[in-house]
Amino acid sequence: MTTKPRVLQIGPLAGSPSAQERLQASYTPLELWKQEDKAAFIAREAQDVRVVVTTASFGCPADVINALPKLEAICSWGVGYDSIDVEAAHARKVLVSNTPDVLTDCVADLAWGLMLGVSRRIAQGDRYVREGSWGQVHGAFPLGVRVSGKKLGIVGLGRIGEAIARRGTGFDMDVRYHSRRQRNDTDYGYEASLESLAAWADYLVIATVGGPSTRHLINAPVLDALGPQGIIVNIARGSVIDEAAMVEALSSGKLGGAGLDVFEHEPKVPDALKKMDSVVLLPHVGSATLETREAMAGMLFDNLASFFADGKVITPV
Ligand SMILES: NC(=O)c1ccc[n+]([C@@H]2O[C@H](COP(=O)([O-])OP(=O)(O)OC[C@H]3O[C@@H](n4cnc5c(N)ncnc54)[C@H](O)[C@@H]3O)[C@@H](O)[C@H]2O)c1
Ligand SMILES: O=C(O)[C@H](O)COP(=O)(O)O
């Protein structure tokens, strides 16, 4: 009988219906999140472990990486790796893998759901019908804002940003983007400054990586430039927007609206946002469809199998 390889699992694979079962079927996961004294558990049980299994939300900090002398790979479920200390991993030649591409379409679809939801007051209208206000309240339901034909600014024209842009052309929108560098393989207009993109755009959609390099990239001056008719959508990471500045801009009418799937201190959401009809709030569900979550699990297991077969991962970071 062959023994199942032992892997250190940082957090549960709760986002895919079958992933935890599949992990247990082929591997022996050491469940770190269940341990009271994690450092002692690692020192006692995980000194021979070659692989860490984690997710974008649980990540893997440097102290865990450095407490595992035999570590060779960190395989993560999710495309974002801002929660993994990739520098510490690479310093020890530890491979890191994520799950790119398979979630791109669903996250882009959700960004569009947020754009439409805020502009056409979809969540507000749903509340209005459910609470019995339709036909009872004097005056009509407030008017929304036209989406088709408007100006779409994308911050971070990567895989997801580009999928959002592509959908924009189907809505007859003019699309421009800001990234650290102009891309020479796309015809979308490039704005070298974030503020000039925001000043031009009706919709500013955030699709960059998270982490220190993009922390508070969207600050008060950028929000001011987007202006009282402007709508911001964030499906990237909450850290990219200065959340306090955004709440202030929305409260004072300096910013028109916001569609948010991610927040600075998840699962905490500022109470002020919950009271505003100009915002739509979602609980970090960009990739949360059955098909995509299964595909992400598939990619995680392909990376694990590849590592244990020949020491390589398929989608390295
Ligand atoms: N809401 C969700 O559930 C959800 C789901 C999947 C991914 N995400 C987030 O979306 C991010 C993007 O995913 P992707 O697959 O498109 O990644 P990607 O690497 O293809 O794209 C990231 C883009 O950000 C750009 N970028 C990096 N630093 C920048 C900066 N300082 N200024 C402007 N642009 C910058 C890069 O050039 C790149 O174009 C992930 O890192 C993740 O954090 C969120
Ligand atoms: O980066 C990602 O892929 C998404 O944010 C989904 O991962 P999470 O739900 O674990 O953050």
Side-chain angles (χ1 to χ4, degrees), residues 7-303:
V7 296
L8 182 68
Q9 187 180 359
I10 309 288
L13 291 169
S16 295
S18 62
Q20 191 63 39
E21 256 172 55
R22 282 179 70 183
L23 186 71
Q24 275 149 353
S26 304
Y27 302 91
T28 302
L30 307 177
E31 299 177 324
L32 188 64
W33 76 97
K34 293 185 178 168
Q35 312 305 320
E36 221 157 86
D37 186 341
K38 295 184 172 50
F41 178 77
I42 289 173
R44 194 177 64 242
E45 305 286 343
Q47 293 304 287
D48 59 338
V49 158
R50 296 169 63 208
V51 173
V52 159
V53 173
T54 191
T55 71
S57 31
F58 289 103
C60 189
D63 61 341
V64 170
I65 294 170
N66 292 327
L68 297 165
K70 303 277 190 214
L71 185 64
E72 291 175 61
I74 299 169
C75 296
S76 182
W77 178 92
V79 71
Y81 48 84
D82 46 294
S83 54
I84 300 173
D85 197 324
V86 176
E87 212 175 298
H90 286 172
R92 285 200 36 217
K93 300 204 174 357
V94 171
L95 301 169
V96 178
S97 70
N98 63 349
T99 60
D101 297 314
V102 289
L103 44 64
T104 296
D105 281 331
C106 280
V107 182
D109 290 348
L110 195 85
W112 270 89
L114 286 168
M115 286 170 62
L116 292 164
V118 175
S119 307
R120 302 303 308 274
R121 301 182 183 272
I122 292 174
Q124 186 187 350
D126 180 79
R127 289 193 291 273
Y128 185 85
V129 172
R130 283 171 198 260
E131 73 196 15
S133 296
W134 193 13
Q136 302 298 317
V137 175
H138 187 66
F141 184 71
L143 295 179
V145 172
R146 179 184 166 97
V147 179
S148 291
K150 292 285 182 65
K151 294 176 189 155
L152 173 60
I154 312 272
V155 182
L157 196 71
R159 290 172 292 244
I160 295 171
E162 198 168 356
I164 295 166
R166 219 169 28 246
R167 285 156 176 72
T169 59
F171 278 76
D172 301 324
M173 287 177 120
D174 192 1
V175 181
R176 294 187 191 174
Y177 72 100
H178 167 78
S179 267
R180 288 159 301 174
R181 282 173 294 280
Q182 182 165 10
R183 282 177 45 171
N184 56 16
D185 58 348
T186 173
D187 292 334
Y188 298 121
Y190 177 67
E191 292 284 341
S193 125
L194 193 47
E195 281 180 42
S196 65
L197 181 71
W200 170 84
D202 298 305
Y203 294 88
L204 193 68
V205 181
I206 316 306
T208 57
V209 298
S213 68
T214 55
R215 185 173 181 275
H216 289 192
L217 199 64
I218 309 298
N219 54 18
V222 175
L223 296 168
D224 278 351
L226 187 54
Q229 313 302 327
I231 291 171
I232 193 154
V233 166
N234 191 5
I235 48 75
R237 286 290 182 260
S239 58
V240 184
I241 301 183
D242 179 343
E243 199 165 86
M246 179 178 64
V247 170
E248 204 287 313
L250 286 162
S251 309
S252 62
K254 282 190 263 173
L255 178 65
L260 306 167
D261 184 43
V262 288
F263 300 87
E264 248 191 297
H265 306 289
E266 293 175 9
K268 285 193 188 140
V269 175
D271 284 336
L273 291 178
K274 296 179 193 162
K275 300 188 183 100
M276 296 176 191
D277 280 328
S278 58
V279 306
V280 174
L281 308 169
L282 292 178
H284 198 145
V285 289
S287 63
T289 64
L290 182 61
E291 297 90 334
T292 286
R293 288 294 175 82
E294 289 295 70
M296 290 162 69
M299 194 168 264
L300 168 69
F301 291 114
D302 288 349
N303 273 303

